[in-house]
């Protein structure tokens, strides 16, 4: 993190998350009319070497995109915001500001967890993941245009940056 830079890792992480959520949405779009379980076997159908429907051969896309998302999140958006939070807040507000950030993070995690199934019903699974991809694009843009690089800077230099000195 100190060698590559926080901003670069956040942007890279966001791009990986965009591609993985887009791929997951594509998987759901391609398998829309198929059974919900990719290992579904129709016992009355004749045995064939070819997949019975287009969704059966795409299980790798679902698993691969999920693994890619987890890896991308672990590289940047998982750990780096917590580090940046400790670096960018001045000492006189660090305790309260950190508390507000943690509360907001957990409230948003709860909201996403609670409402994701409803969102999948309204937008269909592919739409929900494409919406998540759009939010990841927003995160990449926010990172590129708004997040300062703190690699190699002291806390005093970071504070001076935010105070406009």
């Amino acid at each position: 993190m100190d060698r590559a830079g926080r901003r670069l890792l956040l942007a890279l992480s966001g791009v990986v998350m965009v591609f993985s959520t887009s791929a997951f949405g594509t998987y759901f779009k391609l398998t829309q009319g198929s059974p919900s379980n990719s290992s579904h076997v129709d016992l009355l159908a004749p045995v064939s070497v070819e997949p019975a429907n287009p969704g059966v051969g795409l299980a790798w896309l679902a698993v691969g995109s999920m693994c890619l998302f987890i890896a991308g999140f672990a590289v940047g958006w998982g750990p780096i915001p917590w580090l940046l939070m400790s670096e960018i807040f001045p000492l006189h507000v660090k305790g309260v500001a950190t508390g507000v950030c943690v509360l907001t993070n957990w409230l948003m995690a709860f909201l996403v967890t609670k409402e994701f199934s409803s969102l999948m019903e309204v937008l269909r699974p592919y739409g929900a993941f494409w919406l998540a991809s759009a939010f990841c694009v927003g995160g990449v843009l926010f990172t590129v245009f708004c997040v300062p690089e703190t690699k190699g800077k002291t806390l005093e230099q970071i504070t001076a940056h935010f105070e406009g000195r």
Side-chain angles (χ1 to χ4, degrees):
M1 202 178 304
D2 285 333
R3 272 186 265 146
R6 288 114 170 98
R7 202 163 118 185
L8 174 67
L9 287 174
L10 278 175
L12 177 67
S13 172
V15 168
V16 168
M17 290 167 37
V18 166
F19 284 121
S20 63
T21 51
S22 296
F24 213 19
T26 301
Y27 165 78
F28 280 113
K29 181 67 174 171
L30 292 174
T31 61
Q32 191 171 12
S34 303
S36 61
N37 184 351
S38 64
S39 64
H40 171 78
V41 177
D42 188 0
L43 295 177
L44 299 177
V47 177
S48 171
V49 179
E50 298 298 319
N53 60 48
V56 173
L58 290 176
W60 64 268
L61 182 59
V63 173
S65 61
M66 189 177 1
C67 291
L68 189 63
F69 181 87
I70 291 169
F73 183 81
V75 166
W77 281 99
I80 294 177
W82 301 104
L83 174 66
L84 279 176
M85 184 175 54
S86 70
E87 291 178 340
I88 64 174
F89 291 132
L91 288 175
H92 65 280
V93 297
K94 191 175 282 201
V96 173
T98 300
V100 169
C101 288
V102 170
L103 178 66
T104 302
N105 181 43
W106 282 107
L107 285 175
M108 292 300 114
F110 171 76
L111 186 65
V112 167
T113 303
K114 182 179 182 316
E115 295 301 326
F116 190 73
S117 61
S118 301
L119 193 61
M120 283 181 47
E121 287 177 22
V122 172
L123 298 177
R124 303 280 199 198
Y126 61 88
F129 282 98
W130 288 343
L131 179 64
S133 183
F135 275 103
C136 290
V137 168
V140 170
L141 293 175
F142 176 81
T143 299
V144 169
F145 294 112
C146 299
V147 175
E149 179 57 73
T150 60
K151 175 181 86 169
K153 294 185 179 177
T154 65
L155 291 175
E156 292 79 20
Q157 290 171 324
I158 295 168
T159 302
H161 169 79
F162 282 107
E163 290 176 350
R165 293 187 275 150

